[in-house]
Amino acid sequence: MITRPKGTYDIYGEDAKYYNYINNVFTTISELYNYNYVRTPIFEESNLFHRSVGETSDIVTKETYDFKDRGDRDLTLRPEGTAGVVRAYIENKMYGDVNQPIKLYYSGTMYRYERPQAGRYRELSQFGVEVLGSDDAMQDAEVISLAYRAMEEMGIEDITVKINSLGDKETRDRYRDALKDYLEPHIDTLCEDCQKRFKTNPLRILDCKVDKDNEVLKNAPKIKDYYNLESKERFAKVLEYLGYLDIDYELDDNLVRGLDYYNHTVFEFVSNMEELGNANTLGAGGRYNSLVEQLDGPSTPCVGFACGIDRLILILKELNKDKTIENNLDVYITAVNEEEKLKAITLAQDIRLSEIKCEIDTLNRSLKAQFKQADRLNARLLILLNSEDLQRGIITVKDNLTHEETKVDENEILDYIISNV
Ligand code: ATP
Ligand code: MG
C-alpha cells in the first residue's frame, strides 16, 4: 500500500469542515476590510526565497524543499506566502495601479522540512494578508485587528497578541552590535544552533525555543533601549490604535521573528491551549519596508500576517469537542423504481437550485434502508415518491420531526418545501 509522505496529512471529514469554515471566516472578513484575493505559484525560483526570507533564516537553511525541474531550473516549494506575493507585486507592476495601497489576501499550502509533531507538518496551510504601499501605523493596526477579529469570530477567545518593534535599520544595526558584545562571553551556555546564529543572525537567538529559559537571554539588552525617535514614536502609535480597537496585546522584548525581512512592528498570535505544546503560535506577521526594494522593485512599505490553518483546526476541534457537528440536511428524497428515480433527480435539482440542501439515493437501497439513511443524515423533510401518487399528480411529504405526512400537489411541491424547511 502506498502511504502519504512523512509530515503530511489528509484533510477530510471533520477536519475538512473546519478547514473550509476557517477559510470562509478569513475570506469574509478580509473582503469586509476591502482586501482582494491573490494566488501565486506553489513553486518559485529558489533564489526568491534566498533573497527574501534570508540566507541565514531557519527556513532557508534547514526547511526548504528544493528541486530541479526537467529543464534544469532550480525551484523551491514555497515555505511561506509573502515572498511570492511581493514577487507578483513587482512583476505585475501593481505599484502603478491607481488604487493604493494594494491590499491582498491568500490561502494555500506551504512546505517546510520540519520534524513532524502536533501542529507542525511538512505540508501546512496558511491564510495571510499583505498590504503593499502604506507606511502608516494605522495600517499595522488594521492588519492585526483583521486577524484578531477573524479568530474571535471562530470562537477562539484565549488569544494574546505578542508585539514588539525591531525599529528601523539603524536601530537594528546598533542593537545587533550591543547584543553580540553582551552574548560573546556567554556563548558556551547557548544551544548549538544559537552558537551558529551568533555569527549569522544574532537577533534570532532571542526567540530560540531551546534557550528560552536561559538566564543569559532574560538579562540580555533590550531593543527598546536602542530605538531612535522615529521608531519609538511609530511603535507608540501602533499600540495606541490597538488600544482604541480593544485588542489585548502584550509587549514582548524577545519577539524578533525568524525571517530576515521584518522591521518595525512584529507580532504573533499565541494560544494558551496546552495541547499545542511549542506549536502554540497561531499566526504571525509584521512590517517589512525594505523587501520590495531588496527584490528589485521600487521602495514600498508593507505589512502583513499569516495564520496557520492546521493549528486553527486543532484548536477548533478541541474547543468544540463536546458539541457534535449537526448534520443539517434539509430534504431527503426516496425513490425505488425508474419512474420515481427520474422524478427524484429532477426534483432534487430544483430544490438544490433553490439553495436547499437535498440528498437522493444512488446506491439502489431498499425503501427501508433509504429511511434509515435519511435519519442518519438528520433530514428535516422526507419526500416519499411513489408511482401511484405520481400518476395522480401528487407527492407525499413527511416531516421527520413530527412524523406527520402531507399530500401536496406536484405543481406546488417546491413552494411547499421552501416554506417548510
Ligand atoms: P514556529 O515558531 O511555530 O515554527 P514560524 O515562526 O516558523 O512558527 P511563520 O513562518 O510565522 O511560523 O508562519 C505563520 C504561522 O504558520 C505560524 O504561526 C503557524 O501557525 C503556522 N505554521 C508554521 N510552520 C508550521 C508547520 N510546520 N506546520 C503547521 N503550521 C505551521
Ligand atoms: Mg518555524
Side-chain angles (χ1 to χ4, degrees):
M1 189 183 66
I2 298 172
T3 56
R4 56 181 187 263
K6 186 172 177 191
T8 65
Y9 74 115
D10 302 308
I11 301 189
Y12 67 98
E14 197 187 16
D15 286 357
K17 290 203 180 212
Y18 282 119
Y19 178 85
N20 279 337
Y21 169 74
I22 292 162
N23 259 314
N24 284 340
V25 172
F26 272 128
T27 302
T28 308
I29 295 202
S30 300
E31 292 278 345
L32 287 174
Y33 279 64
N34 197 34
Y35 286 65
N36 295 304
Y37 179 65
V38 64
R39 204 195 80 160
T40 62
I42 285 181
F43 57 86
E44 296 270 4
E45 245 179 65
S46 301
N47 258 336
L48 173 65
F49 302 110
H50 288 266
R51 287 179 53 193
S52 57
V53 178
E55 301 281 3
T56 62
S57 65
D58 279 7
I59 290 185
V60 165
T61 52
K62 298 192 289 207
E63 298 177 1
T64 51
Y65 278 88
D66 304 308
F67 63 101
K68 269 192 196 296
D69 73 2
R70 290 167 202 268
D72 213 31
R73 297 176 187 86
D74 287 311
L75 300 171
T76 296
L77 295 182
R78 63 182 181 195
E80 55 96 56
T82 303
V85 171
V86 170
R87 199 251 329 118
Y89 171 86
I90 299 168
E91 191 167 350
N92 299 296
K93 301 191 172 58
M94 293 186 210
Y95 46 81
D97 281 11
V98 278
N99 286 326
Q100 296 292 334
I102 300 291
K103 298 169 74 173
L104 301 171
Y105 69 89
Y106 62 84
S107 176
T109 50
M110 312 292 159
Y111 299 83
R112 299 184 187 182
Y113 194 79
E114 299 208 64
R115 197 166 65 75
Q117 52 195 287
R120 198 173 285 285
Y121 312 101
R122 291 183 174 176
E123 181 184 67
L124 56 129
S125 299
Q126 288 184 338
F127 185 98
V129 311
E130 313 292 351
V131 180
L132 306 104
S134 166
D135 198 21
D136 201 303
M138 203 162 98
Q139 191 62 66
D140 305 35
E142 186 201 61
V143 162
I144 294 170
S145 72
L146 190 165
Y148 192 84
R149 294 297 165 224
M151 288 188 275
E152 213 173 47
E153 173 73 25
M154 295 171 204
I156 308 169
E157 279 161 6
D158 210 6
I159 305 174
T160 309
V161 180
K162 292 200 172 170
I163 190 164
N164 192 18
S165 170
L166 302 175
D168 58 7
K169 188 167 182 318
E170 186 204 1
T171 303
R172 261 178 91 154
D173 289 348
R174 281 199 301 140
Y175 178 62
R176 184 182 295 111
D177 292 344
L179 187 65
K180 284 187 92 162
D181 288 347
Y182 166 82
L183 288 175
E184 190 144 35
H186 307 288
I187 189 140
D188 294 341
T189 73
L190 302 176
C191 78
E192 215 175 291
D193 275 344
C194 282
Q195 301 200 6
K196 283 188 212 133
R197 287 175 188 137
F198 179 80
K199 291 199 192 81
T200 56
N201 194 355
L203 261 63
R204 259 294 272 135
I205 295 175
L206 295 175
D207 70 0
C208 173
K209 292 188 176 83
V210 179
D211 285 327
K212 70 177 189 302
D213 296 320
N214 188 333
E215 287 299 316
V216 172
L217 293 192
K218 288 185 181 162
N219 299 323
K222 306 290 180 212
I223 195 158
K224 63 176 179 230
D225 297 322
Y226 293 80
Y227 295 152
N228 51 22
L229 189 63
E230 197 257 321
S231 299
K232 197 173 175 163
E233 284 179 353
R234 170 197 283 271
F235 190 32
K237 207 77 199 152
V238 174
L239 299 181
E240 186 190 338
Y241 289 131
L242 291 181
Y244 280 115
L245 292 172
D246 277 332
I247 290 172
D248 286 328
Y249 61 82
E250 199 176 273
L251 298 177
D252 183 346
D253 290 324
N254 283 358
L255 181 69
V256 296
R257 310 282 312 122
L259 285 57
D260 277 359
Y261 50 59
Y262 289 111
N263 55 15
H264 293 296
T265 320
V266 286
F267 53 87
E268 286 185 356
F269 301 98
V270 179
S271 151
N272 303 320
M273 211 173 100
E274 265 172 36
E275 286 78 358
L276 288 171
N278 79 2
N280 63 345
T281 310
L282 302 181
R287 187 162 268 291
Y288 49 99
N289 284 354
S290 48
L291 183 58
V292 177
E293 215 173 351
Q294 205 173 304
L295 293 174
D296 306 325
S299 169
T300 310
C302 306
V303 59
F305 77 77
C307 280
I309 297 180
D310 312 279
R311 291 185 193 174
L312 289 168
I313 294 176
L314 290 177
I315 285 227
L316 291 190
K317 274 193 352 197
E318 180 63 25
L319 283 177
N320 296 314
K321 68 169 183 266
D322 299 327
K323 296 183 206 148
T324 45
I325 297 189
E326 293 266 313
N327 210 320
N328 58 344
L329 186 69
D330 298 312
V331 179
Y332 190 94
I333 305 178
T334 69
V336 177
N337 66 34
E338 196 49 40
E339 186 187 7
E340 294 160 8
K341 281 172 77 175
L342 185 63
K343 184 68 193 169
I345 192 164
T346 50
L347 182 57
Q349 168 167 276
D350 291 342
I351 294 172
R352 289 164 176 163
L353 290 177
S354 308
E355 293 184 19
I356 292 171
K357 189 167 169 181
C358 173
E359 183 61 300
I360 50 176
D361 172 69
T362 58
L363 291 179
N364 288 311
R365 289 180 173 98
S366 69
L367 194 56
K368 200 171 146 206
Q370 292 188 32
F371 284 141
K372 259 200 187 147
Q373 179 64 5
D375 280 343
R376 270 195 293 263
L377 294 174
N378 229 341
R380 178 74 187 82
L381 292 181
L382 267 151
I383 309 287
L384 309 173
L385 295 180
N386 72 68
S387 299
E388 266 170 53
D389 274 358
L390 287 177
Q391 271 147 34
R392 292 170 25 225
I394 283 174
I395 289 177
T396 305
V397 182
K398 182 175 171 187
D399 186 310
N400 222 14
L401 292 179
T402 62
H403 298 290
E404 211 175 290
E405 286 190 17
T406 315
K407 301 251 180 223
V408 182
D409 188 300
E410 200 183 327
N411 296 320
E412 284 155 23
I413 186 70
L414 200 57
D415 289 338
Y416 181 88
I417 292 169
I418 292 171
S419 44
N420 283 277
V421 287

